[in-house]
Amino acid sequence: QKEVEQDPGPLSVPEGAIVSLNCTYSNSAFQYFMWYRQYSRKGPELLMYTYSSGNKEDGRFTAQVDKSSKYISLFIRDSQPSDSATYLCAMVGGYQKVTFGIGTKLQVIP
Amino acid sequence: NAGVTQTPKFQVLKTGQSMTLQCAQDMNHNSMYWYRQDPGMGLRLIYYSASEGTTDKGEVPNGYNVSRLNKREFSLRLESAAPSQTSVYFCASSEAWPYEQYFGPGTRLTVT
């Protein structure tokens, strides 16, 4: 079993929809959680990070962490075609140890 | 402020050839990393350097060597390329904990 599970998609939604992207994990040592966005043929860029259970909001993006269920989510409100990308979750569980999910490919249809 | 830069952007090698991938960052970060990204496998850590003068193996170090030349630069060397090393290679840098990493644009390597 992988430490981090993420559905690769693809996920297609109409413009304006609310998008929910999710990762589950098995390692209780993970304490810090990040979401990266990766456009096609580009490097990943950090979107959001959080280290506590609950919600963190940044504009149209909300990151949610449920440590008791070992489940994290990224919500995108009012999705735009420019949000079309692959979204990777990442988790920190120890010294210099960052574990990435395989990424979910999102397509927002105009 | 260029962030993390990588050269070359593309490379094609024949089996057995060697090459060095270059990475530089201008954010004064202490830590630097090399990853490979393959379909269905996600990002996997090859080597990292927690600080200038130190390097350590990651998840998939076999077939690679690294050099932390100074605080800015971290290179990845393939001594004898194999088709299994066909991948996209990303360099990243970060401050210390909690390791928010900033990535370069990647090098697409094909080994035939």
Side-chain angles (χ1 to χ4, degrees):
Chain A
Q1 181 190 7
K2 290 183 181 179
E3 284 188 300
V4 178
E5 299 279 359
Q6 185 175 15
D7 187 334
L11 177 63
S12 293
V13 301
E15 183 176 352
I18 296 175
V19 176
S20 173
L21 303 164
N22 311 295
C23 288
T24 59
Y25 63 95
S26 58
N27 188 344
S28 298
F30 290 141
Q31 295 295 324
Y32 197 85
F33 306 90
M34 295 174 275
W35 284 96
Y36 285 83
R37 177 175 62 195
Q38 186 176 20
Y39 290 114
S40 181
R41 294 185 171 265
K42 301 289 186 184
E45 57 177 330
L46 182 66
L47 265 181
M48 297 185 71
Y49 62 90
T50 182
Y51 55 85
S52 58
S53 285
N55 294 351
K56 181 177 180 179
E57 193 172 313
D58 184 1
R60 296 186 295 113
F61 297 91
T62 299
Q64 187 177 79
V65 174
D66 182 347
K67 289 185 180 178
S68 61
S69 300
K70 296 189 177 67
Y71 190 89
I72 70 170
S73 299
L74 178 71
F75 297 98
I76 307 174
R77 289 184 298 282
D78 187 25
S79 56
Q80 302 295 309
S82 59
D83 295 327
S84 297
T86 297
Y87 291 80
L88 300 99
C89 61
M91 308 185 186
V92 180
Y95 181 71
Q96 298 290 355
K97 179 177 167 57
V98 181
T99 303
F100 287 84
I102 63 172
T104 299
K105 186 171 184 178
L106 171 67
Q107 185 176 18
V108 181
I109 312 294
Chain B
N1 189 340
V4 179
T5 57
Q6 292 182 236
T7 55
K9 289 186 167 52
F10 303 93
Q11 184 71 49
V12 178
L13 291 178
K14 293 188 186 324
T15 298
Q17 288 185 321
S18 62
M19 78 162 295
T20 299
L21 281 65
Q22 306 285 355
C23 174
Q25 53 94 6
D26 62 3
M27 294 174 283
N28 202 36
H29 286 165
N30 288 314
S31 302
M32 297 185 74
Y33 311 82
W34 277 106
Y35 290 90
R36 59 179 290 173
Q37 187 175 39
D38 303 289
M41 303 291 291
L43 282 160
R44 292 182 292 169
L45 183 65
I46 305 171
Y47 271 93
Y48 68 93
S49 171
S51 60
E52 186 178 354
T54 70
T55 61
D56 282 286
K57 295 178 181 179
E59 181 184 355
V60 288
N62 290 346
Y64 306 95
N65 284 301
V66 291
S67 295
R68 183 74 182 267
L69 304 169
N70 48 55
K71 191 171 185 179
R72 290 187 65 249
E73 299 172 288
F74 189 37
S75 63
L76 178 72
R77 183 160 178 84
L78 286 71
E79 291 291 351
S80 178
S84 60
Q85 293 178 306
T86 293
S87 188
V88 182
Y89 291 85
F90 289 102
C91 177
S93 69
S94 74
E95 293 288 343
W97 176 266
Y99 313 131
E100 295 137 26
Q101 298 187 354
Y102 296 83
F103 285 81
T107 294
R108 294 182 173 273
L109 175 67
T110 301
V111 183
T112 61

